[in-house]
Amino acid sequence: MLTFVALLVLMAFSGAVYWAARRRAGVIARGSSTPINSRPGHHGAYAAVWTAAPAALVLLLVGFFGDRVEESLVEARLPAVVRAMDAAERQIFLDDAISLARGQARSETLYAPEVQAALEASAAEVKVLEGRLHLFSLAAAAALALAGAVWGLSRIQAAFRAREGVERWIKGLLLACSVTAVFTTVGIVASLVWESWRFFQAVPLQAFLFGLEWDPQSAMYADQVVSEGAFGAIPLFAGTFLIMLIAMLVAAPVGLFAAIYLSEYASPRTRGLVKPLLEVLAGVPTVVYGFFAALTVGPLFRAGFNAIGAQLVGGPFNDLGL
């Protein structure tokens, strides 16, 4: 919440810097005998970007990684009685300490008296660290915002290429977005490969490809005879092909008739309205439609058929034993 408020204040301050820089650049442009290199809006954007970007980066970094930093610092100072716990118990202890420091509900774990004392001490330490971290982030963001504003306003001159400076910031932002997308894809592929390798260490490949039963829940119960689980993929493949066949039987005639209508019978006005809508719908990933059907259409159908069933049970079919 504090980070969000700080970002709002930073946006307001950068907006004020933008208008101040734009006004100053306009005054210089009107008073200069030579044409100004960049428009006043470019000078305002240059000053606003230098004001907002470094400070916002600090706030976002603290917002994303502040909890991990606090947890690492607290974990490094844990007493010996807590260090003797295994990893899972120690993680629960840290989560309880953070929750206790923030006034949130903690787990129902019962601790020994010495561990309870360590928990209260760790919670107090989390409070102190959290306050210092927030103070540091706000001070650093304020200092960077003021320095950026002074820098941007001082660069306003008739010969300064403010437009190129703004474009460099935009190029850097686009480069960061593209690199993030690439690393996200690499991370997804690496995660899939790693988890698949672990899976096939426990389940033979031929059992997965040619097995006739899919019941992974049975692997959760070690005291049952079927504790190895059933990981045959044939039912998954068959279900996928069945759904694909049903979807094609429904979508192929509708799509074909819609294409024939738009190309042969629709008026230019109707075609100009419907064709972009269909292109937008075609560009939406099918998984989005699947989620929409599962979360919205499915419950509506279930409620409707349940209502019909209740009426049949209490209606004239009840005398027939139906």
Side-chain angles (χ1 to χ4, degrees):
M1 183 63 184
L2 184 61
T3 302
F4 179 73
V5 174
L7 287 174
L8 290 179
V9 174
L10 180 62
M11 290 177 59
F13 180 65
S14 61
V17 171
Y18 170 82
W19 288 110
R22 181 174 180 175
R23 182 176 180 180
R24 182 176 178 182
V27 172
I28 293 177
R30 289 190 296 269
S32 177
S33 58
T34 58
I36 190 171
N37 186 276
S38 300
R39 294 179 179 272
H42 295 148
H43 288 277
Y46 182 84
V49 167
W50 270 105
T51 302
L57 181 61
V58 171
L59 292 174
L60 292 176
L61 287 176
V62 173
F64 282 122
F65 302 106
D67 292 344
R68 296 183 181 180
V69 172
E70 293 175 10
E71 185 174 333
S72 300
L73 293 175
V74 173
E75 188 175 7
R77 304 176 185 178
L78 290 176
V81 64
V82 180
R83 291 179 180 275
M85 300 177 178
D86 57 28
E89 293 177 344
R90 192 162 57 248
Q91 185 62 46
I92 294 175
F93 177 89
L94 290 172
D95 293 341
D96 285 345
I98 294 175
S99 299
L100 185 61
R102 296 175 180 175
Q104 301 172 351
R106 41 161 291 192
S107 68
E108 298 179 356
T109 306
L110 298 178
Y111 297 105
E114 61 274 12
V115 180
Q116 182 66 30
L119 178 66
E120 295 176 358
S122 297
E125 189 173 2
V126 168
K127 276 187 177 181
V128 174
L129 289 175
E130 193 170 36
R132 291 178 179 176
L133 188 62
H134 286 161
L135 181 61
F136 166 77
S137 63
L138 292 177
L144 288 174
L146 290 174
V150 172
W151 169 260
L153 293 173
S154 65
R155 300 285 289 174
I156 299 176
Q157 299 175 5
F160 179 63
R161 300 178 181 271
R163 178 180 176 180
E164 295 181 2
V166 175
E167 290 177 350
R168 283 195 296 268
W169 275 101
I170 296 175
K171 290 179 180 178
L173 177 62
L174 295 178
L175 179 62
C177 293
S178 60
V179 170
T180 302
V182 171
F183 278 109
T184 301
T185 305
V186 172
I188 292 173
V189 173
S191 176
L192 290 174
V193 171
W194 171 253
E195 295 298 334
S196 300
W197 180 71
R198 292 181 58 196
F199 174 80
F200 286 117
Q201 278 187 325
V203 179
L205 180 61
Q206 63 275 10
F208 173 74
L209 293 177
F210 304 107
L212 300 178
E213 184 180 2
W214 178 262
D215 189 14
Q217 292 293 330
S218 60
M220 298 175 60
Y221 306 101
D223 57 341
Q224 296 183 1
V225 178
V226 292
S227 60
E228 293 183 357
F231 298 97
I234 292 292
L236 301 181
F237 298 151
T240 301
F241 283 115
L242 178 62
I243 293 174
M244 181 181 66
L245 178 61
I246 296 173
M248 290 300 297
L249 290 176
V250 174
V254 174
L256 180 61
F257 294 152
I260 294 174
Y261 171 75
L262 288 177
S263 62
E264 300 296 337
Y265 298 100
S267 63
R269 182 177 180 180
T270 302
R271 188 183 301 112
L273 178 63
V274 175
K275 186 178 179 182
L277 294 177
L278 293 178
E279 291 175 350
V280 171
L281 293 175
V284 177
T286 54
V287 67
V288 175
Y289 295 119
F291 274 113
F292 175 76
L295 298 178
T296 305
V297 180
L300 289 177
F301 274 105
R302 183 174 63 248
F305 285 118
N306 287 340
I308 294 175
Q311 292 177 1
L312 292 178
V313 170
F317 293 95
N318 192 34
D319 297 335
L320 301 177
L322 300 176

